[in-house]
């Protein structure tokens, strides 16, 4: 008989979420989160959870804020999307085309597969600003114009002989 498993972090109060060792003595942080506003939490849930596959760490809602916290890839590193009901017209598009979340995947085939899912979930395949991301990757804008780069991990591609992308080999999504 196996030992009972603890509940997932989404069912625990934030004070009891698993903590990483401190980053360093100079920065004794035990968790890292990037937060950004949104006007369409459900569109971002479809894109980042259903299509990209990030796990939901927590959700919250009160009189002012509604939010979604995702693990990147787990609860130690987090991406938070938040709706602020006091500012329904808040600008939520990316400030530049070079604001990126970069995911290093284990093959070019994985890059293609995930990119297809993101496009099917409302994303848009776009040309990256920096040509570096073209060689072994694809760039997809989320429904609010923030960019996700899916990049084939160079060491993995080199070791296993997976053919890299070039600008001329972009898949038909």
């Amino acid at each position: 008989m196996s030992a009972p498993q603890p509940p997932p972090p989404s069912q625990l109060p934030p004070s009891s979420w698993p903590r990483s060792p401190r980053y360093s003595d100079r920065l004794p942080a035990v968790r890292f989160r990037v937060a950004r506003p949104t006007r369409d939490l459900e569109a971002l849930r479809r894109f980042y959870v259903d299509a990209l596959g990030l796990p939901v760490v927590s959700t919250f809602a009160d009189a002012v804020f509604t939010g979604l916290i995702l693990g990147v890839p787990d609860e130690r590193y987090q991406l938070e999307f938040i709706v602020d009901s006091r500012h329904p017209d808040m600008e939520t598009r990316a400030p530049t085309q070079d604001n990126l979340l970069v995911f290093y995947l284990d093959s070019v085939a994985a890059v293609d597969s995930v990119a297809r899912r993101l496009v099917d979930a409302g994303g848009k395949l776009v040309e990256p600003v920096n040509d570096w991301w073209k060689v072994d990757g694809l760039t997809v804008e989320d429904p609010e114009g923030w960019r996700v780069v899916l990049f084939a991990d160079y060491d993995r591609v080199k070791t296993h002989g997976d053919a890299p992308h070039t600008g001329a080999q972009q898949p038909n999504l």
Side-chain angles (χ1 to χ4, degrees):
M1 182 177 203
S2 62
Q5 296 296 312
S10 60
Q11 296 176 7
L12 299 171
S15 61
S16 64
W17 289 350
R19 297 215 184 311
S20 298
R22 296 180 343 163
Y23 292 129
S24 70
D25 289 338
R26 292 188 64 193
L27 181 63
V30 295
R31 193 176 320 131
F32 175 80
R33 180 183 299 167
V34 175
R36 71 169 236 227
T38 181
R39 283 191 257 163
D40 193 344
L41 204 55
E42 286 311 308
L44 295 186
R45 179 190 295 271
R46 285 189 299 276
F47 187 86
Y48 288 97
V49 175
D50 299 342
L52 187 57
L54 296 179
V56 175
V57 173
S58 185
T59 59
F60 57 91
D62 61 27
V64 177
F65 299 105
T66 304
L68 175 65
I69 301 173
L70 308 178
V72 185
D74 57 35
E75 53 279 326
R76 292 174 297 166
Y77 306 95
Q78 300 171 351
L79 181 59
E80 176 181 347
F81 300 108
I82 188 165
V83 175
D84 181 341
S85 64
R86 299 169 302 178
H87 305 286
D89 296 326
M90 178 185 298
E91 181 56 54
T92 58
R93 301 226 14 115
T96 74
Q97 293 179 333
D98 214 18
N99 283 71
L100 307 172
L101 284 178
V102 180
F103 292 91
Y104 289 81
L105 306 183
D106 66 3
S107 69
V108 171
V111 169
D112 290 346
S113 175
V114 174
R116 279 187 185 87
R117 291 195 320 254
L118 292 177
V119 169
D120 289 346
K124 177 181 172 189
L125 192 63
V126 295
E127 286 289 316
V129 172
N130 183 335
D131 287 342
W132 170 260
W133 301 119
K134 285 183 188 179
V135 177
D136 292 325
L138 296 172
T139 303
V140 182
E141 280 188 353
D142 77 12
E144 293 184 324
W146 291 77
R147 292 180 173 204
V148 172
V149 175
L150 306 169
F151 197 75
D153 183 271
Y154 181 77
D155 291 331
R156 169 87 179 168
V157 169
K158 188 169 100 177
T159 303
H160 295 278
D162 198 7
H165 283 286
T166 67
Q169 295 177 323
Q170 300 288 317
N172 294 325
L173 302 180

